[in-house]
Structure formats: C-alpha cells, structure tokens
Amino acid sequence: MEDCSSVILSGELAVLPTETVYGLCALACDPLAISKIFKLKGRPSSNPLIAHILNLSWLNAISEPSPVAFKLGEFFWPGPLTIVLPKKNLIPLNLSAGLPTVAIRSPAHHAFRKVLELVNQPIAAPSANLSNRVSPTTMEHVIQNFGKHCPPIYDGGPCEHGLESTVLDLSERHPCILRPGPISLPEIENALGMKILDQPIKHSLDKISQKSPGNSKIHYAPQTPVRLFKSLTHMIDQQETMINQVVLLPSLEKSNEFTVHGITTLLLSKDGNPRSIAKNLYHVLQKADQLGKEKMNICLLSGTEALIPAINDRLVRASNK
Ligand code: TXA
Ligand code: MG
C-alpha cells in the first residue's frame, strides 16, 4: 500500500482494489496524472472519471454538495454509490471531461482507504481495464488488460461486489440513476424518503450516454459476440443452435437440461444468488472470452432482488456490439 501511495504521490499511476472492481489510480487534482489514465486506458477524453474521497468532510473541497448529497454519503459511504455534483475548480477539466460536474464516491476497500489516508487528497480511478472492455475484478484480469504497461498493483483478491458502483446524478433538480449498480433504486429512495428517476427505464440509452458519457451501449463488451436470451427457458429451448459455442448459466439448477453435445457451459454461480452472480460475472465473461468460441450465449435474469437490474444492465451491454 505504501508503495502504491508513493507511486501515486509522484504523479504516476497505480492499480488498487475497491469493493466493486479494480481502479486505475492517480491524483485527482493533477491534470498531468489524469491524462496518463486516459492514455493507458485508450479512453475517449469525453468520458469523465470518478474522484474517490476518504470521507464526507472532503466533499466541500471539490464540489458544491447539497443536503441530499450529505444524507446519501452518511447513509451509504464508504460504499458503492457514486454521486454527481457541481464541481469546484480544484478538479481539473480533463477529469470531468469538460463537464461542470464531478462524480464522487468514498470506497470501502481497506487498501484503497489506506492509500487515500496516506496521500491525503482525492484519487481519480476508472475501472482498470482498456476502454470498452470488461471491468477487472482480480489482479490477473488487470494484468491481462495492460500487459507490460501495467502500473504497480496492490493485490486485494477478488472484489466483493464485482459490479461497478451505482452512479446517481444530483446535479439536476431530480436525482436520477445514470448507471445501476450494487446500491439499488429502492435502497436510495428509502434512504432519502423520496422518489428518484430511473433513467434507464424511462428514457433511451442514447439519452443516458449524453448525460453520462461512459454509459455507452457497447460498454463492458467481451471480444466474443454475445447472444442474449430473454430468459433461461428461451436459452434452453434454443440449445441446438449452440454447438461448439459457450453458454453462461446463472446456476447449477438447470444445467442438466443442456443435453445437446458439443456445448461448453460455464456457471455464473452455483446457487443462482444474485450476489454471487454479480461477483463472478466479469470473471466468467473473461473466462468465456478466452475460450475463443464463435459465440457466447447468456440470458437475462428474472426476479425481484435489488441487484438484478444492475446485472441485467451489464448483460445487455455485453451483448451490444
Ligand atoms: O465502482 C466504480 O465506480 C469503479 C471503481 C474503481 O470506483 N469505477 C468506475 O469508473 O467504474 P469508470 O470510469 O469505469 O466509470 C465511471 C462512470 C462512467 O460511466 C462515467 O461516464 C460516469 O461514471 N461519470 C463520471 N463523471 C461523471 C459526471 N460528471 N457526470 C456524469 N457521469 C459521470
Ligand atoms: Mg469502466
């Protein structure tokens, strides 16, 4: 951790685990260090980064927080909720991609928090993957992305949630979800005692990408073409078309219904629990990709559990090319 913090303090990049995915880190207030993140990821300069802070007392230095922002921070931080607020000048324009706002969260992972404490200033960190590729949830996955250009990494093992944070816009009159994630819409509504907008349901994805440029339709894509089924039953019914292909199953339960020979099946979880599926999703997508098959078959999840909209969001994106 000390090594990573001295690397970051010197204006270079380091990779740290968070409770969601691994982050490619640099000092948030150093425009030169920020430009190194964009370059290494191959990220368009129009896609802003998240600034990570140790606690609520750091909010005022970089943003114009509203009472709602403080309430959410008190409730959910440290944790996987990112809030978008009007930014202050300390945040360089290349971090915010020229927007007048900044996305902020306080991560829960002890290693990331220790480094925040040591550098004593906000750290910018997008997911530590090449732009438009699957986010990394293990150290090995980060190394596969960056190869010999990989910055120093702190290995924190597999990430707890496995899906990127929920992004909530607080810069407009009505709070609105820009990216569904581990903290669900009902949880946020309960904490605030008010309705918030779930833009992904009410508007087209194109509108979201204007508001949150990183949320383009082809985000999170593996290299193997993905065929998405609306349910497990539909996927099972179509198995004759999947010879020599790979199938990602949500649980063990129905695996014996794949009776056609020549299909490779991978499990997203044993028990179908959405928490396990979320945790394993990117790792299994990555594994399926490495098989080099002609196609990957996956299905949307059904159910009322809070994590399901976030998981289905990533499945839809993985299938968009
Ligand atoms: O869980 C996470 O959020 C991880 C860990 C490392 O913290 N980070 C992450 O960062 O997923 P990234 O860069 O891969 O995704 C950040 C998302 C993008 O969709 C980006 O467009 C959006 O947040 N975003 C950042 N700043 C924004 C802003 N000012 N307004 C709207 N959306 C913003
Ligand atoms: Mg990302």
Side-chain angles (χ1 to χ4, degrees):
M1 273 176 260
E2 282 76 10
D3 285 356
C4 285
S5 61
S6 52
V7 167
I8 293 173
L9 273 173
S10 73
E12 294 301 323
L13 308 184
V15 177
L16 293 173
T18 81
E19 73 280 30
T20 58
V21 300
Y22 277 72
L24 179 62
C25 303
L27 293 177
C29 301
D30 176 352
L32 220 73
I34 297 299
S35 66
K36 291 177 186 167
I37 293 183
F38 281 94
K39 189 157 175 237
L40 182 61
K41 274 182 69 85
R43 183 175 176 115
S45 57
S46 55
N47 188 2
L49 308 180
I50 296 174
H52 296 70
I53 60 174
L54 189 60
N55 53 49
L56 269 175
S57 68
W58 290 21
L59 259 189
N60 268 316
I62 57 171
S63 68
E64 310 276 358
S66 56
V68 167
F70 280 111
K71 203 165 174 180
L72 289 172
E74 264 158 30
F75 210 91
F76 293 110
W77 285 353
L81 177 70
T82 296
I83 55 177
V84 175
L85 292 168
K87 80 171 198 71
K88 282 199 178 140
N89 285 341
L90 208 55
I91 292 295
L93 273 173
N94 62 347
L95 182 148
S96 71
L99 295 174
T101 54
V102 57
I104 305 169
R105 86 177 187 96
S106 181
H109 197 286
H110 68 91
F112 203 119
R113 296 189 65 74
K114 185 73 202 168
V115 174
L116 278 170
E117 229 177 272
L118 290 166
V119 303
N120 198 27
Q121 53 183 305
I123 291 179
S127 49
N129 53 285
L130 296 173
S131 199
N132 285 339
R133 292 283 160 230
V134 177
S135 292
T137 52
T138 61
M139 179 179 84
E140 292 72 26
H141 193 177
V142 176
I143 295 169
Q144 278 158 21
N145 267 272
F146 297 129
K148 64 178 182 350
H149 301 292
C150 194
I153 310 184
Y154 181 87
D155 185 5
C159 298
E160 181 195 339
H161 292 289
L163 289 186
E164 305 85 345
S165 63
T166 306
V167 179
L168 181 72
D169 185 15
L170 296 179
S171 69
E172 305 276 348
R173 207 151 61 95
H174 294 292
C176 128
I177 291 197
L178 299 177
R179 176 174 75 182
I183 293 181
S184 67
L185 176 128
E187 284 173 290
I188 299 170
E189 287 184 339
N190 283 343
L192 289 178
M194 66 189 270
K195 286 271 165 210
I196 60 168
L197 298 176
D198 180 358
Q199 227 184 3
I201 289 170
K202 292 197 174 143
H203 298 286
S204 75
L205 279 169
D206 286 340
K207 281 227 176 105
I208 299 162
S209 31
Q210 285 156 24
K211 187 72 210 168
S212 186
N215 246 347
S216 71
K217 284 190 246 176
I218 56 156
H219 219 58
Y220 315 109
Q223 270 152 321
T224 311
V226 175
R227 187 173 168 204
L228 179 69
F229 291 86
K230 60 180 176 193
S231 71
L232 182 56
T233 316
H234 278 87
M235 192 160 77
I236 292 170
D237 286 349
Q238 293 290 311
Q239 57 184 291
E240 260 90 20
T241 65
M242 296 172 199
I243 296 166
N244 290 331
Q245 299 181 3
V246 54
V247 175
L248 271 52
L249 284 173
S251 69
L252 254 178
E253 199 197 355
K254 303 263 176 167
S255 58
N256 57 358
E257 293 194 26
F258 276 86
T259 50
V260 171
H261 284 289
I263 300 178
T264 308
T265 53
L266 293 178
L267 286 184
L268 288 167
S269 77
K270 278 192 182 141
D271 54 6
N273 180 332
R275 279 187 72 87
S276 322
I277 294 176
K279 185 167 179 172
N280 297 330
L281 179 64
Y282 289 146
H283 177 65
V284 179
L285 279 175
Q286 177 80 359
K287 229 165 92 183
D289 221 8
Q290 281 166 354
L291 296 175
K293 300 278 183 187
E294 160 208 350
K295 207 167 273 178
M296 194 186 297
N297 298 274
I298 55 179
C299 64
L300 292 174
L301 304 183
S302 54
T304 51
E305 289 93 337
L307 259 177
I308 287 186
I311 297 171
N312 282 345
D313 170 80
R314 304 314 191 267
L315 293 175
V316 169
R317 287 171 202 286
S319 69
N320 283 324
K321 274 264 161 174

